[in-house]
């Protein structure tokens, strides 16, 4: 099985090959690193906008402040504004380069021993997301994108160690030409992009552990075939 990545137009052929391999449940992880993710930078304006008009789509509280998802150009570009007690910084969103449109449902944050925010949206063939991690007041984007052809990406502490993990849901298409109605399984990653394992397949999304907030237990994970 594989997590395919929705790539830009320059590598669209590679993305199609990755999606096909996902449906064949290859052992390849299918989520290769992209260019180094940009670090957070000081805010240069009052609202963090580059192109007006722009707006804050949603704000999520985190320890010591809040995280705002700011979008411009109709949600086709954006950034996270990290508001601390004494300063603010920006982290550029990169998934919009793959055609993802940001909405007020695009931001999820989870604060445990480490804080992480997942920014996601609908792209070609499914849902695409990226993770921004906060440690000791410093926030940085992670290079690896995540993809779900079943339209589910989420953050949860699967291992119970106080660290957020990334949960994706995929269709197990097998030899089907279309994935609609195919069984589904959850695939879990650590914040470093390391694959932690996959669940067995389920007939419907609603049967996944913890649905609608998918959270398999460690014993429910096995090596991804």
């Amino acid at each position: 099985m594989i997590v395919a990545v929705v790539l830009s137009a320059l590598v669209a052929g590679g993305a199609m090959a990755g999606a096909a391999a996902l449906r064949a449940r290859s052992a390849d992880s299918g989520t290769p690193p992209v260019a180094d993710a940009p670090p957070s930078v000081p805010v240069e304006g009052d609202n963090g906008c580059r192109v007006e008009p722009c707006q804050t789509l949603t704000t999520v509280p985190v320890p010591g402040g809040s995280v705002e998802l700011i979008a411009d150009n109709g949600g086709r570009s954006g950034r996270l504004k990290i508001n601390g007690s004494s300063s603010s910084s920006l982290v550029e969103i990169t998934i919009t380069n793959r055609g993802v449109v940001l909405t007020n449902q695009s931001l999820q944050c989870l604060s445990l021993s480490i804080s992480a925010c997942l920014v996601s949206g609908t792209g070609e063939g499914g849902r695409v997301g990226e993770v921004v991690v906060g440690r000791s007041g410093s926030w940085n984007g992670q290079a690896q994108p995540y993809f779900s052809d079943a339209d589910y990406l989420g953050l949860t502490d699967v291992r119970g160690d106080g660290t957020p993990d990334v949960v994706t849901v995929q269709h197990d298409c097998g030899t089907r030409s279309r994935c609609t109605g195919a069984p589904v399984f959850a695939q879990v990653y650590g914040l470093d992009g390391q694959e932690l394992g996959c669940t067995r397949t389920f007939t419907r999304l609603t049967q996944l552990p913890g649905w609608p907030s998918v959270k398999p237990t460690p014993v429910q994970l096995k090596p991804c075939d």
Side-chain angles (χ1 to χ4, degrees):
M1 66 184 67
I2 183 169
V3 172
V5 182
V6 177
L7 299 178
S8 64
L10 294 177
V11 289
M16 293 175 65
L22 169 65
R23 297 184 176 98
R25 299 189 61 159
S26 160
D28 187 351
S29 68
T31 50
V34 293
D36 290 342
S40 58
V41 296
V43 174
E44 297 181 355
D46 291 338
N47 56 14
C49 287
R50 286 188 176 180
V51 181
E52 297 284 359
C54 71
Q55 62 178 320
T56 296
L57 296 179
T58 186
T59 302
V60 177
V62 294
S66 64
V67 176
E68 296 179 54
L69 177 58
I70 298 171
D72 47 36
N73 289 335
R76 298 184 183 278
S77 64
R79 55 214 56 85
L80 289 185
K81 182 180 179 183
I82 316 298
N83 301 303
S85 57
S86 59
S87 63
S88 297
S89 61
L90 293 175
V91 177
E92 195 72 19
I93 301 303
T94 62
I95 56 173
T96 53
N97 297 332
R98 299 175 173 85
V100 172
V101 177
L102 302 173
T103 72
N104 60 3
Q105 301 297 313
S106 290
L107 178 62
Q108 175 189 354
C109 296
L110 181 61
S111 297
L112 301 170
S113 61
I114 295 174
S115 294
C117 291
L118 172 68
V119 181
S120 65
T122 301
E124 183 180 355
R127 194 163 191 85
V128 187
E130 63 185 287
V131 173
V132 178
V133 178
R135 294 182 175 91
S136 302
S138 177
W139 290 77
N140 291 278
Q142 306 301 291
Q144 177 167 314
Y146 298 92
F147 176 75
S148 166
D149 68 2
D151 199 35
Y152 182 92
L153 295 173
L155 291 174
T156 189
D157 183 7
V158 171
R159 293 171 288 181
D161 61 355
T163 302
D165 300 307
V166 182
V167 178
T168 78
V169 176
Q170 314 297 340
H171 283 108
D172 182 14
C173 296
T175 59
R176 298 185 185 202
S177 60
R178 299 182 64 184
C179 282
T180 303
V184 293
F185 60 93
Q187 190 166 24
V188 183
Y189 291 86
L191 291 180
D192 59 359
Q194 181 70 32
E195 186 181 75
L196 302 180
C198 294
T199 67
R200 67 175 179 87
T201 58
F202 295 85
T203 304
R204 297 182 299 275
L205 283 168
T206 55
Q207 295 176 329
L208 288 164
W211 182 265
S213 298
V214 180
K215 185 179 181 180
T217 64
V219 297
Q220 291 175 312
L221 298 179
K222 60 181 181 179
C224 300
D225 298 330

